[in-house]
Amino acid sequence: MANLNITVATLDEGVAKAAIEGWQKATFESLLDSFHTTPAPGKDGRLQIKRFQTFVLDKEAAMDLLDPANNNATLRVYQGIDQKTNKFAFIVQGRKKDNNMNPSYAGCYLAENIEKQLDENNSNLPVHSQTTTIPFSLAKLYVDGWNTRATNEIIDSFHAPITDSLTKATEIERAAFYTYSSQDVQDLKDILKSNPGLEVSNLFFFMGAGDPNPEYGHPFAYRPILRAVFSEKDEKTKVDPMIGTALNIPPQVKFETTESGTGGVVTLEFAAPCPPFCGGGGGSL
């Protein structure tokens, strides 16, 4: 798999806090602008504005978040607004099992927008040909749903009526963050633990949108899609491109090996939103 030329560092806690709170305070109009690039010359000479769609963490950040030796129990992804550029910021944090209610912003990573790399690769991700799209039909529908969503529907994707469990009052609220479950994170860690010859070379995050499902605890249309790319550390860990029997993969995990047998990918297509799942009694969170 081709490597992305990116370096992702942890965010200062104050910077992370300002970006996350900036998202909550932003006006509807400024939010819409934040999801789009500044105008740039297109191939035909016209100025074009593109919608952000893909973000990525490098190997160092990915391995830090998913190291089997650490005590990260979940992955939380925040929506943020970069205070320097006023553009959308995708922030990823590993959370310990006992600190879901803790508002700490320690250990946050700012995922890099790769619109430039996509342009240079004719809109294909710079990974193996069979991993340029989400393989699972539902996940791909979400990604396509974001890319084709009408501009006036983008902001609606992050807002939904939320009913307070105590007062029973209903108000429109903005999605604050999403959490990938402890089981999903443990599955990714188990792949690394059972296959010491593998490493996570990148974590891709795709912007997704679909129909809200409030009856299943997901009132928002927006859904972030996580795609973990596993690569071999050396040639000795090359796997069978057809069946991948050289790897020890948890039976419940959908692990797709690449044609060349140089690793594989796992796609997580569900993360619980806050609200309503903001920690404490949030079940698998």
Side-chain angles (χ1 to χ4, degrees):
M1 294 185 184
N3 291 319
L4 292 172
N5 294 318
I6 65 167
T7 301
V8 179
T10 54
L11 285 174
D12 174 84
E13 289 185 55
V15 173
K17 183 175 185 290
I20 293 165
E21 291 183 350
W23 165 266
Q24 290 294 312
K25 297 175 182 177
T27 64
F28 286 78
E29 292 79 8
S30 63
L31 280 186
L32 183 59
D33 179 69
S34 76
F35 290 110
H36 297 84
T37 63
T38 54
K43 294 180 179 179
D44 57 1
R46 293 182 298 111
L47 290 178
Q48 295 181 333
I49 298 176
K50 295 188 176 182
R51 182 178 301 172
F52 296 149
Q53 57 173 299
T54 308
F55 297 81
V56 68
L57 291 180
D58 64 2
K59 180 175 67 176
E60 183 176 349
M63 289 299 295
D64 179 52
L65 291 168
L66 297 174
D67 186 341
N70 70 29
N71 57 0
N72 288 339
T74 61
L75 289 185
R76 180 172 291 180
V77 293
Y78 295 93
Q79 286 81 239
I81 298 294
D82 188 307
Q83 298 300 287
K84 294 182 179 179
T85 65
N86 289 322
K87 295 298 182 180
F88 179 73
F90 198 103
I91 298 170
V92 187
Q93 182 188 39
R95 304 285 294 190
K96 299 178 179 61
K97 188 174 183 179
D98 60 352
N99 73 347
N100 280 324
M101 292 295 288
N102 188 338
S104 168
Y105 299 110
C108 285
Y109 288 94
L110 179 65
E112 181 160 327
N113 186 317
I114 60 168
E115 301 310 309
K116 181 179 180 181
Q117 288 93 328
L118 289 174
D119 285 343
E120 293 172 351
N121 286 275
N122 296 317
S123 296
N124 290 324
L125 290 176
V127 293
H128 197 277
S129 61
Q130 290 302 304
T131 61
T132 56
T133 58
I134 298 294
F136 311 130
S137 59
L138 181 59
K140 189 177 187 305
L141 284 175
Y142 289 142
V143 176
D144 290 344
W146 171 265
N147 291 334
T148 60
R149 206 165 186 82
T151 302
N152 62 348
E153 295 177 346
I154 287 292
I155 302 307
D156 290 344
S157 302
F158 296 89
H159 296 82
I162 304 294
T163 301
D164 187 281
S165 59
L166 296 178
T167 66
K168 304 304 179 183
T170 300
E171 295 183 0
I172 299 296
E173 292 197 41
R174 180 175 297 173
F177 57 79
Y178 287 70
T179 305
Y180 294 98
S181 74
S182 56
Q183 183 61 61
D184 283 338
V185 172
Q186 189 59 52
D187 286 343
L188 296 178
K189 285 187 170 187
D190 284 346
I191 292 174
L192 294 173
K193 186 176 181 180
S194 301
N195 303 278
L198 290 182
E199 60 188 7
V200 182
S201 55
N202 288 114
L203 289 179
F204 287 95
F205 295 90
F206 300 89
M207 306 292 279
D211 293 329
N213 291 295
E215 64 273 23
Y216 294 106
H218 204 299
F220 303 100
Y222 171 71
R223 296 169 183 263
I225 307 299
L226 167 61
R227 191 167 177 83
V229 179
F230 292 84
S231 299
E232 77 289 351
K233 293 180 180 178
D234 55 54
E235 288 298 320
K236 294 180 181 179
T237 56
K238 190 170 183 178
V239 302
D240 188 315
M242 298 300 294
I243 57 177
T245 53
L247 295 177
N248 297 311
I249 305 298
Q252 70 275 15
V253 176
K254 301 292 186 182
F255 185 94
E256 178 192 19
T257 56
T258 60
E259 294 159 325
S260 62
T262 56
V265 292
V266 174
T267 305
L268 302 182
E269 52 189 319
F270 181 81
C274 169
F277 300 110
C278 300
S284 62
L285 301 186

